[in-house]
Amino acid sequence: MTLPALLLLGVFAYVPMAGNVIAWQDYSPYVGIIESPFIAWDNFARVLTSPAFLHAVQNTLVITAFQLVFFFPIPIFLALLLNSVLTPAIRTTIQSIVYLPHFFSWVLVVTIFQQMFGGAGLVNQILTQNGWGSFDLMTNPDTFLLLITSQSVWKDAGWGIIIFLAALSTVDPALYEASVMDGASRWRRMWHITLPALRPVIILLLILRLGDSLTVGFEQLILQRGAVGAQVSEVIDTFVYYQGVINGDWGFATAAGLMKGVISLLLVLGANKLAHLFGEAGVYQKS
């Protein structure tokens, strides 16, 4: 039953990896891979000395660090909050509402934020009508980091609680009952029972997030690049897209993308090793 899925994975994920060979070529689509001249590590040297690439890396790391602090904990908080709701019907209703935006495309999400916080948006109209001035959040480079993080929270935080709620469902209710009998308060129960139950899942998702830290949302950023400028919105994925697809510098863009993949792999391996040192299973562990 898994053969069709493995076949699709091989055809669309692993076979295309052979195309990374153009990172060592002065590739031209008009002559193909075989006829394109081999230039060794020149493309990688250009990547490492490119101010535009280094700036894209800096923006990527800043966005990742900011969202790791202000976005990653929110699904955990929502899961704890929903877990404390005693009525199943209310819990299901709230959960359905908060994870519904996950199914919206980024085009729709950006459009909704534009209609709310843009120059002619609802918030600005209310402020103007009451004589309180106006602001345009959608074109302000100084608040762009806050804007994209807010969009990510609204779109994906609700979906992220599913994994944590699944982890909480495995906790033995007898542990809570025994702690209540011993006089433990709600905060004590959360600290000594709930959070330890979530710790393996939190560490696992944190490792995966670190491995994906250099990917911060291509579609979300490229949709808003024209409004705020490349200075604050350029990340590694958009850099690779513009250098390769738009400018036609295929070998250079492939080298940049390949370096991103290698660094992401090293981050996963390093974070997984760190998890082992703290006694957690991580993504994998040796038998």
Side-chain angles (χ1 to χ4, degrees):
M1 292 178 64
T2 61
L3 280 178
L6 292 176
L7 181 62
L8 288 174
L9 184 65
V11 171
F12 292 103
Y14 287 96
V15 173
M17 289 177 64
N20 283 324
V21 68
I22 68 176
W24 289 271
Q25 293 180 321
D26 184 12
Y27 174 74
S28 172
Y30 301 104
V31 299
I33 293 178
I34 297 178
E35 299 295 331
S36 295
F38 178 75
I39 59 173
W41 298 94
D42 289 358
N43 284 325
F44 292 92
R46 288 176 56 203
V47 169
L48 292 175
T49 57
S50 170
F53 176 75
L54 297 178
H55 178 72
V57 171
Q58 179 183 351
N59 278 349
T60 303
L61 294 177
V62 169
I63 293 173
T64 297
F66 189 85
Q67 293 189 352
L68 197 62
V69 174
F70 294 101
F71 175 30
F72 185 80
I74 291 180
I76 303 174
F77 172 76
L78 289 176
L80 294 174
L81 188 64
L82 282 177
N83 191 60
S84 65
V85 177
L86 299 180
T87 307
I90 297 178
R91 184 188 308 155
T92 302
T93 302
I94 296 175
Q95 185 177 347
S96 301
I97 293 173
V98 296
Y99 75 57
L100 179 63
H102 173 78
F103 299 100
F104 297 164
S105 69
W106 275 115
V107 175
L108 180 58
V109 172
V110 173
T111 301
I112 292 174
F113 271 74
Q114 177 66 39
Q115 295 299 317
M116 292 296 297
F117 303 107
L122 178 62
V123 174
N124 262 337
Q125 292 183 22
I126 295 175
L127 293 176
T128 303
Q129 291 172 1
N130 289 275
W132 295 332
S134 64
F135 71 98
D136 189 356
L137 181 64
M138 303 299 295
T139 59
N140 188 351
D142 297 330
T143 58
F144 183 68
L145 185 58
L146 179 61
L147 171 66
I148 60 174
T149 303
S150 301
Q151 292 170 345
S152 298
V153 169
W154 185 75
K155 185 178 189 296
D156 290 326
W159 182 257
I161 69 177
I162 294 177
I163 298 176
F164 296 109
L165 286 175
L168 289 175
S169 66
T170 63
V171 180
D172 188 356
L175 294 175
Y176 290 106
E177 295 172 1
S179 63
V180 171
M181 294 297 294
D182 290 338
S185 64
R186 175 174 295 183
W187 290 106
R188 285 289 184 180
R189 296 196 297 271
M190 183 183 70
W191 184 258
H192 293 287
I193 299 176
T194 306
L195 289 180
L198 288 178
R199 189 175 68 174
V201 178
I202 292 173
I203 292 178
L204 175 61
L205 293 181
L206 186 59
I207 293 173
L208 296 176
R209 182 68 186 92
L210 288 175
D212 202 35
S213 60
L214 300 184
T215 303
V216 288
F218 170 78
E219 186 178 357
Q220 177 192 14
L221 293 171
I222 204 168
L223 285 170
Q224 302 175 90
R225 175 188 171 103
V228 297
Q231 185 67 21
V232 296
S233 64
E234 187 79 296
V235 293
I236 297 178
D237 284 344
T238 57
F239 175 84
V240 170
Y241 170 76
Y242 276 95
Q243 294 298 321
V245 178
I246 303 300
N247 297 336
D249 198 347
W250 301 96
F252 176 70
T254 303
L258 194 57
M259 289 181 62
K260 169 197 166 185
V262 171
I263 294 173
S264 297
L265 175 62
L266 293 176
L267 286 173
V268 169
L269 295 177
N272 194 69
K273 183 65 176 179
L274 188 63
H276 291 168
L277 295 178
F278 283 96
E280 297 294 338
V283 178
Y284 69 92
Q285 57 183 350
K286 296 180 180 179
S287 58

